[in-house]
Amino acid sequence: MRTSPAPLSAERVLGRTPALKEPRLLNGVLHWLEQRPQEQGRTTLMARRPGGVAEELTPGPWNLRCRVHEYGGGACAIGRNGAGNGVAVFVHDGDRCLWRLDLERPGAKPQRLTPCPPEGRFNGALGGGVIDPQRQRWIGVLEQGGRDQLVAVSLEGGDPQLLHAAQDFCGYPALSPEGSRLTWVEWQQPHMPWERSQLWLASIDAQGHLEAARPVAGTGSDHGNSHGGDGPADCSVFQPLWAGADLVVANDRSGFWNLERWPQAAVASPSTAPQWQALLPMAAEFAMPQWVFGMATTAWDGQRLLAMACRNGRWQLGQVDLPSPADTSGHWSPIAQPFCDLAGLSAEAGRIACVASNPSQPSGLLELELAQGHWSHTPAAPCPLPAEAISQPEELWFAGHGDQPTQAWYYPPQGGGHPQAPLLVKGHSGPTGMARTGLSLSIQYWTSRGWGVVDVNYGGSTGFGRAYRERLQGQWGVVDVADCAAAASAVVERGLASDERIAIEGGSAGGFTTLAALCFTDRFRAGASRYGVADLSALAADTHRFEARYLDGLVGPWPAAAATYAARSPLQHADQIRCPVIFFQGLEDVVVPPEQTERMADALRRNGIPVEVHLFADEGHGFRNGATQVNVLEATEAFFRRHFQL
């Protein structure tokens, strides 16, 4: 008789698997960042030459981390110096300063670029930069004094020099190949960058200063809705990229983040009106929400434009054949490869690299040669499950809030769903995130223990177009809650789960959805909140600069809509929760302060509800330490098992 595989342990799921981020090809060498949970979340720079083995370039105490806008990203810029040799400029979290590492000098040690003040840490947050080889400098973002600036730092060291002071936020600078133009993205409160943003362009004069800076695309420019009929009043731009002399950007004015091109933008007169051309009018997303720097969904290999496109929650890799003068749009040529969860695209001289996974293979580095179509995949860690033991995601469409078609991924428990099976409903963070299809060992942890899992792309999720994303406008705590409850009901109605054994869990925005679902529906019998929002009013008053006005769109203008904030806040309705809840909170969290979790847990205790609270002294918003991650997963499963009497 064939025996079922043993349940996965939390240590095999989370304890040692590093997160791979921001791969970059340069001079034939693949570089990437590796965040290691077994080293308290330390991030290091790695490199591998063709046919070689991975080499760590920043061992020991080096920790590459950007803290711009708190969420960071873009901690390391890879490029060439004036001699054409590889150089890395990174932010070291120990002193928050910029450091330079010469990549092609054996045994080279990092050199500090920005002075370290007497207090031991740089005053401000730096990151999201690029290398300017012609002028031997790094160009990036400095967040300081409640405002973003584009600054330059010499590769020989020195104080940041102001290039451009944004009205509010800025990021994603891109330098034209010959170094004469700089483009970047700006946005202003109360809008988030995926709601309303502008693409800016400036010329660079002989002294390296920016001149004639102006918005050339997006909401707020004179060219935001200049083609394609009646687009939405607001639009968002993502990841400007130079494809030779052409400027390419993703713009969602069509209702989807589609690619557009301004031919010969690098040589156009500074006063020339932009001539944007839609490259691929498709019901697909060529972008993602700009929570962090360093994201890339398009790349130029010197001859070809490569891109990643998301259709209904699945990613695809392809080549964009640029239109001839006689054509109105380009052509999408999919690239054959087996992965459907993609991020961090880079390309050079016919070679592609990105982070990739699929439902059966864990996240790893995908490298592909375009000429032969050969590809290789190096996982961050071996998969601990045999192929036959992996629960495959099944696409689930159901009637969500307002009877609108809503999507989720259902993972059956080991042996298949049945009417007695417990069910875990997952609400992703963001709330602009998306339930992805790459192999999640955290989900397999539950299915290996007999749980079904439904990972919900509730209204507000990314990957389905702007209209799907905007379902949550003014409706946070309503649409997401209704969609999660409807997803659970859809699974139960199919006879795949028990009506009495449904739990819900989520972190950050997903934690808020969890608590709101426990308050305002009777669908769930237990919940787990990781650093979740409990009091919307306190969040509006206390959170960090990047999200200071985010709730204006999700809930309503603060404080004019104070009554709505109170009506949606779980803390104000804790008496409506009738089931056990477990909480996890980092004490260094500046996004959702620990007080929110403590007040919510106290309110439930006063009502006689079983509660567990786990606090972590050295964690912020999002747990980086592997030991913490293991603790959270094990404690959640034990809590649910105990209260469901499994």
Side-chain angles (χ1 to χ4, degrees), residues 553-575:
L554 289 175
V555 182
W558 175 260
T564 304
Y565 282 68
R568 304 257 185 91
S569 292
L571 184 62
Q572 308 300 322
H573 304 277
D575 59 331

Side-chain angles (χ1 to χ4, degrees), residues 109-377:
K109 302 297 183 184
Q111 304 295 314
R112 184 188 283 120
L113 296 182
T114 49
C116 193
E119 59 268 24
R121 282 184 172 175
F122 181 81
N123 181 24
L126 291 158
V130 296
I131 307 296
D132 180 356
Q134 288 90 339
R135 300 165 189 87
Q136 292 288 285
R137 61 183 182 174
W138 173 92
I139 297 174
V141 178
L142 168 62
E143 183 183 22
Q144 192 174 48
R147 190 176 185 183
D148 287 359
Q149 304 172 3
L150 285 176
V151 298
V153 175
S154 168
L155 294 185
E156 297 303 317
D159 290 319
Q161 303 299 308
L162 176 65
L163 295 178
H164 172 78
Q167 179 181 331
D168 203 344
F169 295 94
C170 69
Y172 315 97
L175 190 67
S176 62
E178 79 296 336
S180 65
R181 302 287 169 92
L182 184 74
T183 184
W184 65 93
V185 176
E186 292 198 19
W187 66 100
Q188 297 83 36
Q189 292 183 354
H191 303 287
M192 303 303 283
W194 52 86
E195 295 173 344
R196 175 176 173 148
S197 57
Q198 308 88 39
L199 180 67
W200 281 64
L201 179 68
S203 300
I204 305 177
D205 67 17
Q207 289 73 44
H209 303 138
L210 300 187
E211 59 182 13
R214 58 180 175 137
V216 293
T219 308
S221 77
D222 293 334
H223 315 283
N225 288 312
S226 60
H227 80 66
D230 296 327
D234 291 337
C235 60
S236 162
V237 293
F238 175 88
Q239 195 205 347
L241 172 76
W242 292 94
D246 297 352
L247 181 56
V248 175
V249 73
N251 190 327
D252 72 349
R253 56 178 158 176
S254 69
F256 289 85
W257 269 312
N258 281 182
L259 296 179
E260 300 184 2
R261 176 181 69 155
W262 177 4
Q264 300 298 300
V267 296
S269 165
S271 61
T272 300
Q275 300 298 315
W276 290 106
Q277 178 183 40
L279 286 179
L280 293 168
M282 297 166 59
E285 303 272 56
F286 290 83
M288 51 187 67
Q290 302 97 306
W291 283 96
V292 298
F293 294 154
M295 296 186 294
T297 58
T298 56
W300 177 252
D301 78 340
Q303 304 253 331
R304 309 169 191 83
L305 179 61
L306 291 311
M308 304 187 309
C310 183
R311 301 185 201 232
N312 289 333
R314 290 187 180 93
W315 287 90
Q316 185 181 52
L317 184 62
Q319 179 175 321
V320 181
D321 300 320
L322 298 177
S324 66
D327 295 329
T328 57
S329 64
H331 179 69
W332 175 248
S333 300
I335 296 172
Q337 49 81 36
F339 300 95
C340 57
D341 192 356
L342 308 168
L345 184 62
S346 180
E348 181 187 55
R351 187 176 169 211
I352 297 175
C354 64
V355 179
S357 61
N358 64 25
S360 299
Q361 299 184 65
S363 181
L365 293 169
L366 173 65
E367 298 172 73
L368 191 146
E369 299 288 344
L370 286 170
Q372 297 82 21
H374 297 159
W375 61 267
S376 65
H377 183 256

Side-chain angles (χ1 to χ4, degrees), residues 433-445:
M434 64 181 287
R436 305 175 77 100
T437 54
L439 177 62
S440 167
L441 292 179
S442 295
I443 288 177
Q444 301 299 319
Y445 175 88

Side-chain angles (χ1 to χ4, degrees), residues 538-564:
L539 183 67
D542 298 341
T543 195
H544 61 132
R545 170 178 169 251
F546 181 68
E547 294 183 79
R549 300 290 301 279
Y550 188 20
L551 298 191
D552 282 24
L554 289 175
V555 182
W558 175 260
T564 304

